[in-house]
Amino acid sequence: MPVNIYHWRENSIVHILENRQYTGGTVNGKSTTVSYKVHKKIEKSQEDYQVIPNTQEAIISENTWLRVQELRKNKRRNTATGRRSLFSGLVYCADCGSKLHFCASKSLKKNQEFWRCSSYKDGRGTCTIHFIRDVVLEAIVKEAISELADFVRCYNSAFLYLISEKKGAESVNREKSLRAKTESAKQRISDLDKLFSRIYEDNILGKLSDERYSRMANEYEAEQKRLISEVEENEKTLI
């Protein structure tokens, strides 16, 4: 059977995996323009997107989508030998913060496979030579998991308290971020009113053609409606 019988393109699959709207929400504010006069499109970072949840039927859950994004950030590739470590894509250098590369070859036994800083580059990079064997890393992780499990068994109440505190802090941070975005949207709504008045005056004075005025007015009105909707949704969430 052919490997790709439906002829899926890689960029199509990437688009599907990264499309947050499959979680049932609507993603707005992906881009902006330089100004009302200069319409050059500027892409925003994902942190600045306006996500409105539950606007349509979800195909996948939010948690599943977030997990996929996390996995895509830490892509795991097989070595030339076909072997791959359990920790591929998850290990970073303690000195420079770069990813550690998993090193395996036919001449190395399993207990000799090791991790090396990607910034070392055989002495030509920015980091110094240091490594850790994969079996040693696995033993360290197992010990840490065992210690955590013992702590949970012995101090279950304290563990649950720590978890709730962490979730509470994350919730506070999300609320602060949402409030900041809401205030920013309100300011933009106010600015759009001023811009609308300005282009109206320019049109009356003959500085702006009717065609251009109509196009700009429609753009401002559409943006303002979108922002008003976002503010309403955000304020419902913040109540």
Side-chain angles (χ1 to χ4, degrees), residues 74-76 85-94 97-102 114-118 131-134 137-138 141:
N74 300 299
K75 296 178 182 178
R76 302 183 177 189
S85 170
L86 176 67
F87 309 107
S88 294
L90 302 174
V91 192
Y92 294 83
C93 178
S98 300
K99 279 192 174 184
L100 296 188
H101 284 172
F102 179 58
F114 63 95
W115 292 87
R116 183 176 63 185
C117 180
S118 59
F131 71 94
I132 182 170
R133 295 196 186 279
D134 192 56
L137 178 60
E138 185 175 339
V141 172

Side-chain angles (χ1 to χ4, degrees), residues 132 135-145:
I132 182 170
V135 290
V136 175
L137 178 60
E138 185 175 339
I140 292 172
V141 172
K142 283 181 178 178
E143 183 178 356
I145 293 174

Side-chain angles (χ1 to χ4, degrees), residues 193-237:
D193 283 332
K194 295 175 184 177
L195 289 171
F196 189 86
S197 297
R198 188 180 303 168
I199 63 171
Y200 177 76
E201 291 176 2
D202 287 347
N203 178 249
I204 294 296
L205 296 172
K207 296 180 181 179
L208 195 66
S209 67
D210 290 343
E211 181 182 355
R212 192 171 182 81
Y213 166 77
S214 178
R215 179 170 60 80
M216 294 175 68
N218 288 335
E219 289 177 358
Y220 288 156
E221 187 175 3
E223 182 182 359
Q224 196 172 56
K225 283 182 178 179
R226 175 179 60 79
L227 290 172
I228 290 172
S229 176
E230 288 177 8
V231 168
E232 290 175 351
E233 289 293 330
N234 290 347
E235 288 181 337
K236 287 178 183 178
T237 304

Side-chain angles (χ1 to χ4, degrees), residues 2-234:
V3 176
N4 186 7
I5 60 174
Y6 298 108
H7 304 289
W8 282 98
R9 293 180 179 272
E10 183 177 341
N11 57 352
S12 298
I13 296 173
V14 169
H15 175 72
I16 291 171
L17 293 175
E18 293 180 348
N19 193 342
R20 193 164 192 163
Q21 295 186 128
Y22 289 129
T23 64
T26 299
V27 182
N28 292 325
K30 293 182 179 180
S31 62
T32 185
T33 55
V34 176
S35 68
Y36 76 95
K37 290 184 178 180
V38 182
H39 296 280
K40 181 180 178 181
K41 189 176 180 181
I42 301 174
E43 297 294 335
K44 292 184 178 181
S45 63
Q46 291 191 13
E47 291 76 14
D48 296 326
Y49 288 178
Q50 297 287 336
V51 181
I52 305 173
N54 304 320
T55 59
Q56 55 192 317
E57 185 178 354
I59 297 176
I60 59 171
S61 68
E62 178 77 8
N63 288 337
T64 300
W65 185 85
L66 291 172
R67 178 57 177 159
V68 169
Q69 308 317 304
E70 183 181 346
L71 290 172
R72 282 183 51 74
K73 286 181 181 178
N74 300 299
K75 296 178 182 178
R76 302 183 177 189
R77 297 179 176 88
N78 290 335
T79 60
T81 63
R83 297 198 295 270
R84 186 174 65 184
S85 170
L86 176 67
F87 309 107
S88 294
L90 302 174
V91 192
Y92 294 83
C93 178
D95 293 336
C96 69
S98 300
K99 279 192 174 184
L100 296 188
H101 284 172
F102 179 58
C103 301
S105 66
K106 293 180 180 179
S107 62
L108 293 177
K109 297 179 181 178
K110 182 172 177 57
N111 63 352
Q112 294 176 315
E113 295 169 347
F114 63 95
W115 292 87
R116 183 176 63 185
C117 180
S118 59
S119 293
Y120 172 60
K121 298 178 182 177
D122 296 324
R124 294 176 286 106
T126 56
C127 202
T128 58
I129 181 170
H130 48 268
F131 71 94
I132 182 170
R133 295 196 186 279
D134 192 56
V135 290
V136 175
L137 178 60
E138 185 175 339
I140 292 172
V141 172
K142 283 181 178 178
E143 183 178 356
I145 293 174
S146 178
E147 289 178 354
L148 178 60
D150 289 340
F151 177 82
V152 173
R153 280 194 295 269
C154 297
Y155 307 101
N156 185 260
S157 298
F159 177 75
L160 292 176
Y161 173 77
L162 292 173
I163 292 296
S164 64
E165 284 288 298
K166 185 176 184 296
K167 288 184 176 179
E170 291 174 350
S171 178
V172 169
N173 290 334
R174 283 196 299 269
E175 183 177 335
K176 285 182 179 179
S177 176
L178 190 59
R179 287 189 185 279
K181 288 182 178 180
T182 302
E183 290 303 316
S184 177
K186 287 181 178 179
Q187 182 60 50
R188 178 59 179 169
I189 291 170
S190 177
D191 292 342
L192 286 170
D193 283 332
K194 295 175 184 177
L195 289 171
F196 189 86
S197 297
R198 188 180 303 168
I199 63 171
Y200 177 76
E201 291 176 2
D202 287 347
N203 178 249
I204 294 296
L205 296 172
K207 296 180 181 179
L208 195 66
S209 67
D210 290 343
E211 181 182 355
R212 192 171 182 81
Y213 166 77
S214 178
R215 179 170 60 80
M216 294 175 68
N218 288 335
E219 289 177 358
Y220 288 156
E221 187 175 3
E223 182 182 359
Q224 196 172 56
K225 283 182 178 179
R226 175 179 60 79
L227 290 172
I228 290 172
S229 176
E230 288 177 8
V231 168
E232 290 175 351
E233 289 293 330
N234 290 347

